[in-house]
């Protein structure tokens, strides 16, 4: 077999996969979804989904990838079920969509590096003007996409792994420092209460839907990103424990990101917590304030460093998103990696233009559509974001686990998982995963998917 490259070590794989998982989804997406989803009740749903449903999906994706050593489409073919490769194709399509809007937000974060470096903390109240300056933020996005393409073109252990190993721990330390500082501010506790004391009456269908979508998005599941990363993993690797570490790292960073944002909102609103639901602009409107409060050179340094690290977290995610279609084109269409990367990246950048324009610059893309039953319009970015998170990824996850348990068959999955995990067979975890992959996850994911489509696109609620 041709040398496709591979991760050089166990730690390298875990760091790269955790790098894929940890990104804007944790620091930008999670707090805003919590804000819109009513606080701690959303957090509880999210945690349940991550550990109970998503962890089994993650294990399955990595196992399929390692078994077949292929991209998500090739993987189904290699197992002998060509008819199922539509799941992989759907994944590649989702990857295109996700990266197209994700890169726009990464461009904003990149632009904030400069704003922080010049001490422009006032940007907090000028975010909407910032995103309307489409030539400027578009240029930031272009640089970001080019950087992603460059890293992916360097191949697996050369690019992705090296960057992840060093940057992930730095981000964690930085977040911990900010959490520590935020907690000392007046009225921080109002934020902590909103974030950690659940009011279960706030759990509605749409909270359930977005908590599940957020869990899938944050863990990079449902589109074959981890099938692809799994394809570079060594047989000696223990997949079940690696997946557990990746899940914990991802959930941990998301939870900490909330501990950074909500106390700060409590502080800014004198405990009234009235800006929590402000949506996708949330971190861009709150974080500069904390650096402004720190003030002086320290504020500038901290703010700049934070957004630099956020960009790196985003980069390890965009790299994994780009890697999926690139691996597909390289494996299946026989195009050289170095060419495939730039072609695919260019196409995705173009698909992202409506997401770039729909933040006030173009009225059409800003008020792109109104969901049935909703009073306000959603912009193009929000539409694609929720189409991917809430519908495509859970559907992909549902099909992947169903396929693994009932088409490829559980004993084959178990066989693959026991490589590198000598005690796996016969363990409690094996029994749980058999149940979750075989019945629980397909049933619950399938049910929520149907509910999501009915509720979101037809305005029909079952509950
Ligand atoms: N998980 C990443 C984040 O939270 C985004 C991401 C990277 C992703 N690869 C993915 C999402 C694959 C879905 C599928 O920022």
């Amino acid at each position: 077999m041709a040398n496709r490259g591979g991760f050089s070590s166990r730690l390298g794989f875990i760091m790269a996969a955790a790098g894929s998982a940890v990104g804007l989804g944790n620091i930008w997406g999670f707090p805003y979804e919590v804000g819109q989803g009513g606080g701690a009740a959303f957090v509880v749903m999210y945690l349940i989904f991550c550990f109970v449903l998503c962890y089994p999906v993650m294990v399955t994706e990595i196992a399929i990838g390692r078994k077949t050593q292929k991209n998500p489409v090739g993987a189904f073919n290699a197992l002998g079920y060509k008819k199922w490769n539509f799941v992989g194709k759907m994944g590649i399509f989702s990857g295109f969509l996700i990266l197209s809007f994700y890169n726009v937000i990464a461009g904003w974060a990149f632009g904030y590096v400069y704003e922080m470096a010049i001490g422009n903390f006032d940007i907090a109240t000028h975010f909407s003007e910032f995103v309307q300056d489409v030539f400027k933020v578009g240029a930031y996005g272009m640089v970001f996409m080019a950087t992603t393409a460059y890293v992916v073109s360097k191949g697996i252990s050369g690019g992705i792994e090296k960057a992840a190993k060093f940057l992930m721990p730095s981000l964690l330390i930085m977040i911990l420092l900010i959490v520590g500082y935020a907690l000392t501010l007046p009225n921080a506790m109002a934020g902590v209460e909103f974030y950690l004391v659940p009011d279960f009456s706030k759990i509605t269908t749409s909270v359930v839907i977005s908590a599940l979508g957020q869990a899938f998005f944050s863990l990079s599941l449902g589109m074959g990103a981890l099938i692809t990363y799994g394809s570079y993993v060594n047989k000696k690797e223990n997949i079940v424990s690696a997946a557990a570490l990746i899940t914990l790292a991802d959930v941990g960073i998301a939870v900490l990101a909330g501990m950074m944002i909500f106390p700060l909102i409590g502080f800014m609103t004198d405990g009234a917590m009235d800006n929590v639901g402000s949506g996708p602009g949330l971190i861009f409107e709150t974080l500069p304030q904390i650096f402004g409060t720190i003030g002086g050179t320290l504020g500038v340094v901290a703010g700049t460093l934070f957004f630099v690290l956020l960009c790196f977290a985003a980069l390890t995610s965009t790299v994994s998103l780009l890697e999926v279609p690139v691996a597909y084109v390289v494996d299946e269409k026989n195009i050289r990696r170095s060419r495939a990367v730039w072609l695919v990246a260019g196409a995705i950048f173009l698909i992202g233009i409506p997401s770039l324009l729909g933040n006030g610059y173009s009225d059409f893309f800003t008020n792109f559509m109104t969901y049935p039953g909703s009073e306000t319009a959603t912009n193009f970015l929000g539409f694609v974001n929720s189409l991917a998170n809430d519908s495509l990824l859970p559907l992909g996850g549902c099909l992947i686990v169903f396929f693994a348990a009932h088409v490829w068959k559980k004993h084959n999955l178990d066989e693959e998982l026991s490589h590198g995990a000598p005690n796996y067979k016969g363990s409690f975890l094996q029994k749980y995963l058999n149940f979750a992959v075989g019945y629980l996850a397909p049933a619950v994911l399938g049910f929520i998917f149907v509910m999501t489509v009915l509720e979101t696109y037809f305005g029909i609620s079952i509950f």
Side-chain angles (χ1 to χ4, degrees):
M1 186 185 154
N3 188 3
R4 301 171 74 243
F7 290 108
S8 63
S9 65
R10 171 175 167 76
L11 188 65
F13 164 65
I14 292 179
M15 289 301 239
S20 162
V22 176
L24 296 170
N26 305 59
I27 293 160
W28 159 79
F30 181 71
Y32 106 67
E33 296 269 7
V34 173
Q36 293 192 323
F42 178 97
V43 180
V44 173
M45 292 305 303
Y46 166 81
L47 292 175
I48 295 175
F49 285 141
C50 284
F51 292 110
V52 177
L53 293 180
C54 291
Y55 170 71
V57 177
M58 182 183 288
V59 167
T60 308
E61 280 202 27
I62 301 174
I64 293 177
R66 183 172 72 176
K67 172 73 190 176
T68 59
Q69 315 259 300
K70 285 282 193 294
N71 66 83
V73 174
F76 289 97
N77 297 347
L79 292 174
Y81 302 96
K82 260 204 150 111
K83 273 197 197 139
W84 278 84
N85 77 16
F86 77 92
V87 179
K89 288 184 180 149
M90 203 176 87
I92 288 165
F93 175 69
S94 312
F96 262 76
L97 288 187
I98 295 174
L99 185 52
S100 76
F101 76 80
Y102 198 94
N103 187 65
V104 171
I105 299 157
W108 299 345
F110 188 43
Y112 265 50
V113 172
Y114 172 74
E115 302 297 335
M116 293 298 106
I118 60 168
N120 181 17
F121 303 119
D122 278 348
I123 188 96
T125 48
H126 295 98
F127 176 69
S128 56
E129 292 132 62
F130 174 79
V131 293
Q132 281 182 49
D133 193 346
V134 293
F135 293 99
K136 185 171 80 182
V137 288
Y140 285 131
M142 199 181 273
V143 174
F144 206 89
M145 185 66 89
T147 312
T148 305
Y150 176 76
V151 175
V152 173
S153 73
K154 290 283 147 197
I156 289 302
S157 56
I160 301 177
E161 227 187 286
K162 266 196 202 124
K165 263 187 201 163
F166 159 71
L167 295 162
M168 302 282 304
S170 317
L171 178 68
L172 177 63
I173 293 169
M174 183 90 198
I175 293 176
L176 284 172
L177 290 173
I178 300 178
V179 170
Y181 178 75
L183 287 175
T184 65
L185 296 168
N187 294 312
M189 285 308 139
V192 175
E193 193 185 317
F194 172 83
Y195 183 47
L196 296 181
V197 182
D199 168 0
F200 288 106
S201 69
K202 288 195 176 143
I203 297 187
T204 59
T205 329
S206 69
V207 168
V208 172
I209 293 171
S210 43
L212 182 71
Q214 177 60 25
F216 264 83
F217 183 77
S218 174
L219 291 166
S220 299
L221 295 177
M223 56 154 277
L226 293 181
I227 295 183
T228 310
Y229 271 25
S231 76
Y232 304 113
V233 171
N234 190 289
K235 282 279 183 207
K236 289 198 260 334
E237 194 75 67
N238 182 335
I239 293 178
V240 284
S241 76
L245 283 172
I246 297 162
T247 306
L248 283 171
D250 185 63
V251 170
I253 301 253
V255 168
L256 284 173
M259 280 305 276
M260 172 170 86
I261 305 293
F262 294 108
L264 183 60
I265 298 177
F267 164 68
M268 279 160 39
T269 61
D270 295 325
M273 299 304 292
D274 38 37
N275 273 328
V276 272
S278 71
L282 188 66
I283 69 157
F284 295 99
E285 290 164 343
T286 53
L287 281 175
Q289 305 237 4
I290 202 169
F291 303 116
T293 348
I294 298 172
T297 318
L298 185 61
V300 168
V301 172
T304 311
L305 192 60
F306 179 84
F307 280 99
V308 167
L309 291 173
L310 180 61
C311 285
F312 278 113
L315 185 65
T316 51
S317 301
T318 53
V319 157
S320 77
L321 283 161
L322 184 60
E323 176 63 25
V324 176
V326 166
Y328 169 68
V329 174
V330 171
D331 289 351
E332 311 293 313
K333 308 275 176 219
N334 277 322
I335 299 182
R336 257 185 306 122
R337 188 175 187 87
S338 52
R339 263 193 78 186
V341 167
W342 295 99
L343 284 175
V344 176
I348 296 177
F349 181 80
L350 295 178
I351 299 173
I353 288 178
S355 295
L356 175 71
L357 301 182
N359 301 288
Y361 182 82
S362 142
D363 189 50
F364 177 73
F365 291 119
T366 304
N367 299 305
F368 185 67
M369 71 170 294
T370 307
Y371 291 111
S374 162
E375 273 126 53
T376 47
T378 303
N379 68 2
F380 190 82
L381 193 158
F383 164 70
V384 181
N385 189 169
S386 72
L387 174 67
N389 290 18
D390 302 347
S391 302
L392 296 173
L393 298 179
L395 176 63
C398 176
L399 293 169
I400 290 169
V401 280
F402 180 87
F403 167 83
H406 302 288
V407 181
W408 183 38
K409 300 283 188 242
K410 276 182 213 162
H411 66 91
N412 288 314
L413 176 64
D414 277 340
E415 181 61 36
E416 185 57 36
L417 291 176
S418 56
H419 289 295
N423 302 326
Y424 175 67
K425 278 199 178 152
S427 67
F428 172 75
L429 189 61
Q430 185 208 5
K431 294 195 182 76
Y432 176 70
L433 285 176
N434 269 320
F435 166 68
V437 174
Y439 307 103
L440 185 69
V444 177
L445 294 175
F447 177 73
I448 299 182
F449 173 72
V450 172
M451 193 168 91
T452 306
V453 173
L454 289 176
E455 164 118 3
T456 316
Y457 302 101
F458 296 96
I460 304 168
S461 343
I462 318 183
F463 294 105

